[in-house]
Amino acid sequence: MTQSPNDAQNTVEREEMAFDVVIVGGGPAGLAAAIRLRQKNPTLGVCVLEKGSEIGAHIVSGAVIEPKALTELLPDWKERGAPLKTPVSEEKLLYLTKQGSIPVPALHLLMPQMDNRGNYVVSLGDLCRWLGQQAELFGVEIYPGFTGAQLHIEDGCVCGVITGDMGVDRDGNHKSEFMPGMILRARQVILAEGARGSLSQDVISHYKLRENADPQTYGLGIKEVWEIPKENHRPGFVQHSFGWPLDNHTYGGAFLYHFGENLVSYGFVTALDYRNPWLSPFEEMQRTKQHPAFRPHFEGGRRIIYGARALSEGGFQSLPKLTFPGGVLTGDCAGFLNMPKIKGTHTALKSGMIAADAVSEALRSTNPEAQTYQERLQNSWLWSELYEARNIRPSFSKWGMQLGALYSGIDSMIFRGKAPWTLHHPHADHQTLISAKEAPKIDYPKPDGTLTFDRTSSVYLSNLSHDDNQPVHLKLRDAALWNEVNEARFASPESRYCPAGVYEANTRDNGETYLQINAQNCVHCKSCDIKDPTQNIRWCPPEGGSGPNYPSGM
Amino acid sequence: MKVLVPVKRVVDYNIKPRVAADGSGVETQGVKMSMNPFDEIALEEALRLREKGHAQEVVAVSIGPQAAQDTLRTAMAMGADRAILIRTDAELEPLAVAKLLQAVVEREQPGLVSMGKQAIDDDMNATGQILAAKLGWPQGTFASEVIIDNGSAIVSREIDGGVEVVSLTLPAVITADLRLNEPRYASLPNIMKARKKPLETIEAGSLDVDIAPRLKVVSVSEPPAREAGVIVESVEELVNKLKTEAKVLP
């Protein structure tokens, strides 16, 4: 299954431990599933693996969240001190031109999905830290710093997870502190890895779970947190934009939220089905800050955190089969995000809860597959919500931003999501680039070091931890294929879409060009695994605890 | 022999420290905390001494708020047998820490105190030295190798331009430098076991030690931001800039 960065992964002796349920990923889906399982049955042994050094370390989201699912999970979340402190107070959706902006009028009427009244601006990292504490109070065992490196499969059934080896050097040799990964046996495995999870990818291809579904399509979200002067802070102010600087063929836009103690969360999501290989999601994010509709919000402030993460945009049509022998998919690795709402937290929580209900029922039977998961989903608000939203995202790929927006209005206003047709996602994101020669080059402004920045100073604010002397976890399968396709046809698009500067097209002394991979810069966004035109780059989990250490506020 | 290992909870070494908006100090609210890396090395050395049969018990001690018990659980997950938390919310200087540790040493009677050469948050590099002086014990600081031999410790010290080897009569204080060893990882089963190991909490106030600060922090500021470089067109221009702007050439 997963190709481990360490080739010796399959030859060492492994200790074993047994749980009823092993959950991979300590985000909203995994933690909701863990809490729900122990609420249903306090005797279950439930273990959560988290590749970040602590819960929340790898969480990136906007985030405006709908509290509905959280209230179903923990009705007393207020008394328990959940970090939902900033209610949305003011809301704008802007169509941007180069210098101007047109607010979408009667927003709540025209785009009911964008109605954020009753929602909260949060740091999803902080919400997850709090959920982790709640899960521990329910008796869940949480192990941060441990990756799910491989699935343990016996007789065609997933029977557990193998954690990653620690203490392996760059060449695959065991260092003095080498510690082999363990087999964590489980009667059910819940995958909650977030968008493009590595074990989820394995399980989807191994059990052919995508046979009756559209390809998944993704967006890359790049985010900064700013601390601004108190007098400029407008708690609960929420602004989204579309239009400039993206062209009509590229789906995406910016978000800006005031929350917490003088914090501003700003970010930009670029759909990864973009066509122009010269496009740089990082630079689009940077230059949007210069627009008059955004610039004043940063005045007198300082940037304190930077991060990036891919998200699933495919929605209803792209949901794979969600169960397999021995486990289930939840949250964004299944693709439960609601794109028109630009929200995935409430859907991740809900899918984790429903999965937990189905899993706890399966544990009482002899059936290795939690078969009631699908049926329970179909009877839930989650299913109708995603069904009604299904045509919005694909309409933009089909007709471009302007007609797509028009269609979306009609689909929401007139059909209320119940149009008698379903638009599809015709291709995967890695298939959409046009050749660099045919595509217009984009002239991005140079960073000014105050409002706009380069990648190096940005990644510095992700608090990366990565031992340089460990195997490269971004695997280029065929170096010659990179020269032939990525370099020759697309002018090395990875050097532009990677938000962390991992990839550089370099030249050796003898004139040969090659792809330099600075794996220690990786913020685990997964964009390369998604967008590489020949799927030649594979993201594997590095040593547990590696990667960003996003602090509170992210 | 019993080995006492003081461990400090500090801002994780991967985190870029940020001065709080009011300039009062470094922001620690919501920031990831972990064991001071030099203390990890000191702990690893103690565990190796136990594995070689020179020590029978390794006791970790931390001084700080309730949350410092997370650091002690980590120490026990790595292999310490038990832990002591001297609980206090006060800001402590090395003198106060050394006095509190002295009280613990008098209670526990270890044959060796193995500690980090300095904490990465305040970079004081003083506690080990003060503790040795207070106890009247020999000290081997900046250790890059420790050999226990017949009631004494042979310590290789990293000094400017080389290595100095000293022999200490036990009991003694040793402070660990970076190259002493590579600390082990805590395994999953050991993390589980550590949750059941004994952790004793002692209120700092009950130890009858004066921990009042002797220093006053005047200000805390971030280093100036690096200015953008320029590409010069010619050697003449470079020389000219070195003379007129950088003023490093006459």
Side-chain angles (χ1 to χ4, degrees):
Chain A
M1 299 287 291
T2 300
Q3 188 188 4
S4 159
N6 166 24
D7 295 336
Q9 181 95 24
N10 291 310
T11 58
V12 293
E13 258 192 47
R14 303 190 179 282
E15 278 187 74
E16 295 194 6
M17 269 164 74
F19 297 89
D20 292 306
V21 181
V22 169
I23 299 172
V24 184
L31 293 169
I35 290 172
R36 183 73 160 201
L37 282 167
R38 293 280 303 190
Q39 285 174 336
K40 288 241 144 189
N41 181 353
T43 63
L44 288 180
V46 180
C47 159
V48 176
L49 295 179
E50 165 55 45
K51 68 183 163 65
S53 65
E54 60 172 0
I55 294 288
H58 287 183
I59 298 287
V60 183
S61 183
V64 174
I65 72 157
E66 220 179 88
K68 176 153 116 181
L70 184 62
T71 304
E72 290 177 16
L73 180 68
L74 297 166
D76 55 345
W77 55 262
K78 269 196 180 127
E79 293 72 39
R80 290 170 175 268
L84 279 65
K85 309 278 190 211
T86 313
V88 173
S89 60
E90 188 185 347
E91 168 165 40
K92 277 186 191 171
L93 173 65
L94 303 175
Y95 175 75
L96 300 188
T97 60
K98 195 161 194 297
Q99 285 299 321
S101 57
I102 306 156
V104 173
L107 177 61
H108 296 158
L109 189 70
L110 275 177
M111 303 189 98
Q113 316 88 351
M114 295 292 279
D115 188 345
N116 277 311
R117 285 174 291 187
N119 295 339
Y120 292 82
V121 186
V122 303
S123 149
L124 188 60
D126 289 352
L127 179 60
C128 288
R129 284 183 186 93
W130 173 84
L131 275 173
Q133 291 161 5
Q134 303 308 309
E136 288 190 316
L137 292 176
F138 279 100
V140 174
E141 294 185 47
I142 301 182
Y143 296 104
F146 291 90
T147 61
Q150 298 176 75
L151 292 164
H152 184 63
I153 298 188
E154 284 174 6
D155 302 327
C157 180
V158 172
C159 296
V161 173
I162 306 179
T163 63
D165 291 346
M166 318 267 270
V168 180
D169 76 10
R170 211 175 169 85
D171 303 318
N173 303 313
H174 297 175
K175 294 192 275 185
S176 66
E177 69 273 21
F178 173 72
M179 185 172 79
M182 291 183 66
I183 299 174
L184 303 182
R185 289 190 169 271
R187 293 163 64 208
Q188 282 280 321
V189 170
I190 298 181
L191 295 177
E193 301 178 289
R196 198 76 172 194
S198 46
L199 296 182
S200 310
Q201 286 298 105
D202 282 345
V203 106
I204 287 169
S205 79
H206 187 83
Y207 293 105
K208 304 190 171 55
L209 304 181
R210 199 167 279 293
E211 269 186 338
N212 299 311
D214 284 359
Q216 185 56 274
T217 180
Y218 300 88
L220 169 58
I222 309 180
K223 174 177 164 180
E224 297 179 343
V225 178
W226 285 65
E227 191 175 54
I228 64 163
K230 196 174 178 57
E231 58 272 22
N232 300 345
H233 196 244
R234 293 149 73 178
F237 175 88
V238 164
Q239 174 171 302
H240 295 101
S241 75
F242 64 108
W244 186 87
L246 298 177
D247 64 25
N248 193 40
H249 302 297
T250 312
Y251 183 71
F255 62 84
L256 183 140
Y257 313 139
H258 289 236
F259 77 111
E261 295 290 315
N262 305 323
L263 298 179
V264 167
S265 167
Y266 164 78
F268 198 96
V269 178
T270 308
L272 286 172
D273 65 352
Y274 70 82
R275 301 180 193 178
N276 184 346
W278 298 107
L279 186 138
S280 161
F282 176 83
E283 256 90 17
E284 300 296 351
M285 182 274 264
Q286 292 298 338
R287 69 169 167 173
T288 303
K289 281 185 283 184
Q290 298 176 324
H291 191 279
F294 284 91
R295 188 178 200 120
H297 292 273
F298 304 103
E299 236 142 65
R302 62 170 175 168
R303 190 175 66 143
I304 56 176
I305 316 172
Y306 171 83
R309 183 72 174 92
L311 47 124
S312 300
E313 294 191 347
F316 189 82
Q317 298 86 315
S318 300
L319 283 176
K321 180 171 180 273
L322 299 163
T323 60
F324 51 89
V328 297
L329 293 163
T330 64
D332 219 16
C333 63
F336 279 106
L337 186 132
N338 180 338
M339 197 54 210
K341 269 194 185 173
I342 354 179
K343 286 183 187 58
T345 304
H346 67 294
T347 55
L349 290 166
K350 184 68 178 174
S351 72
M353 291 162 64
I354 297 173
D357 290 345
V359 160
S360 68
E361 190 175 322
L363 291 176
R364 291 194 300 270
S365 75
T366 51
N367 195 333
E369 204 155 326
Q371 272 164 337
T372 63
Y373 184 24
Q374 183 69 32
E375 189 191 319
R376 286 167 187 274
L377 274 168
Q378 283 169 353
N379 293 328
S380 73
W381 55 257
L382 173 54
W383 199 257
S384 13
E385 184 182 317
L386 291 183
Y387 180 78
E388 283 163 24
R390 77 196 181 288
N391 283 333
I392 309 274
R393 171 67 184 93
S395 75
F396 286 92
S397 313
K398 207 173 165 77
W399 297 306
M401 274 311 262
Q402 286 151 11
L403 288 175
L406 184 66
Y407 172 84
S408 300
I410 295 168
D411 193 288
S412 321
M413 283 276 292
I414 301 184
F415 294 104
R416 302 255 162 219
K418 294 184 174 64
W421 58 78
T422 293
L423 304 176
H424 286 276
H425 301 291
H427 33 56
D429 297 338
H430 68 268
Q431 298 165 321
T432 58
L433 288 180
I434 59 172
S435 97
K437 285 192 199 80
E438 294 162 32
K441 286 199 177 181
I442 306 174
D443 186 22
Y444 291 113
K446 281 206 160 44
D448 62 17
T450 320
L451 179 67
T452 58
F453 304 92
D454 62 8
R455 282 181 176 76
T456 313
S457 65
S458 300
V459 173
Y460 180 77
L461 295 174
S462 301
N463 295 322
L464 285 170
S465 141
H466 192 102
D467 180 0
D468 288 356
N469 187 17
Q470 63 166 296
V472 174
H473 72 284
L474 299 156
K475 299 214 164 265
L476 186 66
R477 290 186 178 117
D478 180 347
L481 188 59
W482 176 83
N483 292 91
E484 204 179 295
V485 177
N486 298 41
E487 189 197 17
R489 207 180 306 160
F490 302 121
S492 188
E494 56 285 333
S495 60
R496 286 176 292 277
Y497 65 63
C498 174
V502 167
Y503 298 100
E504 288 176 79
N506 267 354
T507 311
R508 292 200 174 87
D509 292 344
N510 63 9
E512 280 172 19
T513 49
Y514 69 103
L515 182 65
Q516 161 102 15
I517 302 180
N518 305 309
Q520 70 279 4
N521 278 4
C522 178
V523 294
H524 297 202
C525 77
K526 318 278 176 88
S527 297
C528 48
D529 198 271
I530 295 165
K531 188 63 178 172
D532 184 70
T534 59
Q535 298 286 279
N536 195 17
I537 300 175
R538 172 81 210 234
W539 188 98
C540 305
E543 188 168 283
S546 300
N549 286 284
Y550 298 132
S552 175
M554 188 57 162
Chain B
M1 175 171 82
K2 183 194 285 184
V3 184
L4 187 72
V5 184
V7 294
K8 184 175 183 183
R9 178 175 181 264
V10 298
V11 173
D12 186 88
Y13 70 98
N14 292 301
I15 308 290
K16 312 300 174 288
R18 189 169 86 237
V19 173
D22 63 2
S24 61
V26 169
E27 188 67 73
T28 54
Q29 193 66 36
V31 171
K32 189 189 172 216
M33 308 292 280
S34 53
M35 191 191 300
N36 177 34
F38 291 110
D39 301 348
E40 267 190 347
I41 296 170
L43 173 60
E44 174 66 32
E45 200 60 20
L47 298 173
R48 290 184 188 187
L49 291 178
R50 190 186 60 194
E51 282 157 4
K52 285 181 197 147
H54 296 302
Q56 282 68 51
E57 191 183 27
V58 174
V59 182
V61 56
S62 191
I63 306 172
Q66 197 61 34
Q69 61 176 321
D70 296 346
T71 310
L72 290 169
R73 291 282 169 211
T74 305
M76 292 192 285
M78 284 175 69
D81 298 287
R82 60 186 172 90
I84 303 167
L85 171 63
I86 309 295
R87 218 200 62 78
T88 171
D89 293 321
E91 282 288 324
L92 297 177
E93 289 166 10
L95 177 62
V97 175
K99 286 190 205 164
L100 289 167
L101 288 177
Q102 183 188 13
V104 178
V105 167
E106 279 159 8
R107 231 176 62 130
E108 292 284 336
Q109 300 290 319
L112 179 69
V113 177
S114 175
M115 57 201 291
K117 68 168 182 178
Q118 71 194 74
I120 60 165
D121 51 1
D122 58 17
D123 274 347
M124 289 287 196
N125 185 352
T127 306
Q129 293 87 330
I130 300 174
L131 177 64
K134 285 255 161 214
L135 292 168
W137 287 8
Q139 54 180 295
T141 50
F142 311 103
S144 61
E145 191 183 15
V146 174
I147 299 164
I148 301 292
D149 181 32
N150 210 8
S152 57
I154 317 293
V155 177
S156 301
R157 304 182 63 232
E158 298 209 3
I159 57 169
D160 283 349
V163 174
E164 179 187 64
V165 182
V166 294
S167 173
L168 319 172
T169 308
L170 295 175
V173 176
I174 292 174
T175 71
D177 212 326
L178 192 63
R179 275 165 288 274
L180 181 57
N181 58 50
E182 281 279 342
R184 68 194 63 192
Y185 297 98
S187 73
L188 258 170
N190 287 344
I191 294 172
M192 289 176 89
K193 279 182 212 153
R195 292 180 180 157
K196 299 196 175 74
K197 287 184 179 177
L199 194 163
E200 182 190 0
T201 302
I202 301 172
E203 290 297 324
S206 72
L207 289 174
D208 195 26
V209 169
D210 173 16
I211 57 172
R214 307 299 205 256
L215 305 173
K216 192 176 143 209
V217 175
V218 179
S219 71
V220 179
S221 62
E222 278 178 21
R226 199 177 70 99
E227 282 178 39
V230 286
I231 294 175
V232 291
E233 299 291 332
S234 63
V235 174
E236 289 72 31
E237 193 189 341
L238 174 66
V239 171
N240 187 35
K241 276 188 186 297
L242 289 173
K243 280 182 180 164
T244 57
E245 287 179 28
K247 298 192 166 68
V248 292
L249 288 182

